[in-house]
Amino acid sequence: EQGDSTAISKIMYFSKNIPGTSAYWRAKKAELYSWISHHVEQGRGAPTVFMTLSCAEYFWPDLKRLLEETILACEGRKVDLDLHHNELSKAINDYSIVVQEFFHVRVDAFMKTIGLHVFGLKHYWGRFEFAKSRGQIHLHLLGIVEGVASEGGIYEQVY
């Protein structure tokens, strides 16, 4: 006898909301396929651009200043993160939410300027990832540049 599998079904259903589970990644994959299918059906074609945007958290003077201000406000200490690399590493880990918010703002600005006006990305889908081995946060992005294969499109210009 197989028994009642409703509890297992419920666990599988709700686990799609838990990052890192196989159900979560299946749901994200389905979301991406749906996004691609939608744009293909609308006549825009499949994604034509893939890029990874890295936070590069050790190289932004604005982020260092923001972290210095956060340390002063939260800990009451004044630090110069340009002079103390160990303090910078600690601040990046201790105040990762500041780093992540900074990165989101930078990505938004990039997409509204470079992404839209230079690359011509009007439609894009991205996934933020956190991997300690690759830094704090990064974004994988698929984009659609309309008319790339048409006469005068970027494919013709590049090749």
Side-chain angles (χ1 to χ4, degrees):
E1 195 172 329
Q2 292 184 341
D4 186 8
S5 63
T6 56
I8 299 294
S9 296
K10 288 178 182 177
I11 289 171
M12 293 303 293
Y13 175 78
F14 288 109
S15 69
K16 73 179 182 183
N17 297 317
I18 302 171
T21 63
S22 58
Y24 174 85
W25 290 118
R26 272 194 307 276
K28 291 297 177 189
K29 181 178 169 183
E31 180 184 310
L32 175 59
Y33 284 175
S34 177
W35 180 84
I36 291 170
S37 294
H38 169 76
H39 287 287
V40 168
E41 288 170 6
Q42 295 297 313
R44 298 182 189 109
T48 49
V49 174
F50 173 82
M51 64 177 78
T52 298
L53 303 176
S54 172
C55 183
E57 61 270 14
Y58 288 93
F59 302 101
W60 288 102
D62 291 339
L63 178 58
K64 288 179 186 176
R65 179 190 45 73
L66 188 58
L67 287 169
E68 289 170 351
E69 291 171 3
T70 302
I71 292 168
L72 182 61
C74 294
E75 300 176 22
R77 336 183 263 122
K78 189 170 174 80
V79 294
D80 185 345
L81 296 178
D82 282 323
L83 298 176
H84 301 97
H85 187 73
N86 289 343
E87 284 282 339
L88 176 58
S89 294
K90 184 177 180 335
I92 286 170
N93 287 319
D94 289 351
Y95 299 104
S96 61
I97 191 71
V98 173
V99 175
Q100 293 165 27
E101 184 62 26
F102 177 83
F103 183 63
H104 278 265
V105 169
R106 296 297 298 208
V107 166
D108 189 48
F110 174 85
M111 293 310 295
K112 288 179 179 172
T113 56
I114 308 296
L116 178 63
H117 298 294
V118 174
F119 290 112
L121 292 173
K122 293 181 182 153
H123 312 284
Y124 56 90
W125 184 94
R127 184 177 90 190
F128 288 95
E129 285 186 351
F130 304 87
K132 286 288 184 185
S133 62
R134 295 181 60 188
Q136 275 282 333
I137 183 174
H138 59 279
L139 171 70
H140 297 295
L141 187 132
L142 286 174
I144 298 172
V145 178
E146 293 184 31
V148 294
S150 63
E151 189 174 329
I154 195 161
Y155 283 173
E156 189 176 282
Q157 295 172 30
V158 171
Y159 300 107

